[in-house]
Amino acid sequence: MRIVPTTAVDWDQARLTALDLHAEAERLATRAEMDNIAARRTLQRAIADVVQAHKRCPVKECRRARACCTPQICAAQPMERPTERQWQIIDALYADIQRRRRDAALALCGGGDQAGPRASGKVR
């Protein structure tokens, strides 16, 4: 014999919604942290290239390319606490990562240029 629920919702919809929202928030926070790390690594790699740290790098690919191209980064010194200017650059790199992700998502769904300013950051 089949049991038919007496109400339209026979489960804790509020709890399931809260769990889904929490999981989504954690996923977005993790992605934001990964993007922030990627922005910091991009700045570190650029600094390593400017000071030509690849000349001292033990990895042959870096010396051959005459630029830092390893996951370890040929950092002249680790960036434990970025300066104010470095934070500004990191923020700009982070924003660029987010713009590229937005543009790729919009292109995937055919949304085009509906999300506001262009990827260059300039307002029309």
Side-chain angles (χ1 to χ4, degrees):
M1 179 174 183
R2 193 168 151 216
I3 298 174
V4 178
T6 57
T7 61
V9 179
D10 207 20
W11 56 86
D12 189 355
Q13 184 62 38
R15 176 73 173 144
L16 292 177
T17 302
L19 288 171
D20 289 343
L21 289 174
H22 180 70
E24 179 69 11
E26 281 187 357
R27 186 183 68 77
L28 291 174
T30 300
R31 177 181 278 174
E33 180 63 26
M34 289 172 50
D35 289 346
N36 194 315
I37 291 169
R40 287 181 73 158
R41 290 177 64 90
T42 300
L43 177 60
Q44 285 179 304
R45 185 165 278 119
I47 291 171
D49 289 346
V50 167
V51 298
Q52 298 183 349
H54 58 274
K55 290 181 178 180
R56 307 183 286 284
C57 183
V59 180
K60 288 181 184 179
E61 289 82 11
C62 293
R63 293 192 309 267
R64 193 176 305 125
R66 296 184 181 149
C68 180
C69 59
T70 63
Q72 303 91 292
I73 301 178
C74 307
Q77 53 184 276
M79 188 188 326
E80 295 299 323
R81 294 183 177 207
T83 64
E84 183 63 33
R85 178 66 183 134
Q86 288 173 336
W87 272 122
Q88 291 171 353
I89 295 169
I90 290 168
D91 286 342
L93 291 168
Y94 177 83
D96 186 54
I97 290 169
Q98 297 304 312
R99 284 187 195 97
R100 284 186 277 137
R101 180 171 285 130
R102 177 199 62 202
D103 294 345
L106 287 173
L108 198 66
C109 69
D113 197 29
Q114 299 171 0
R118 288 182 283 202
S120 66
K122 296 178 182 176
V123 179
R124 290 186 229 180

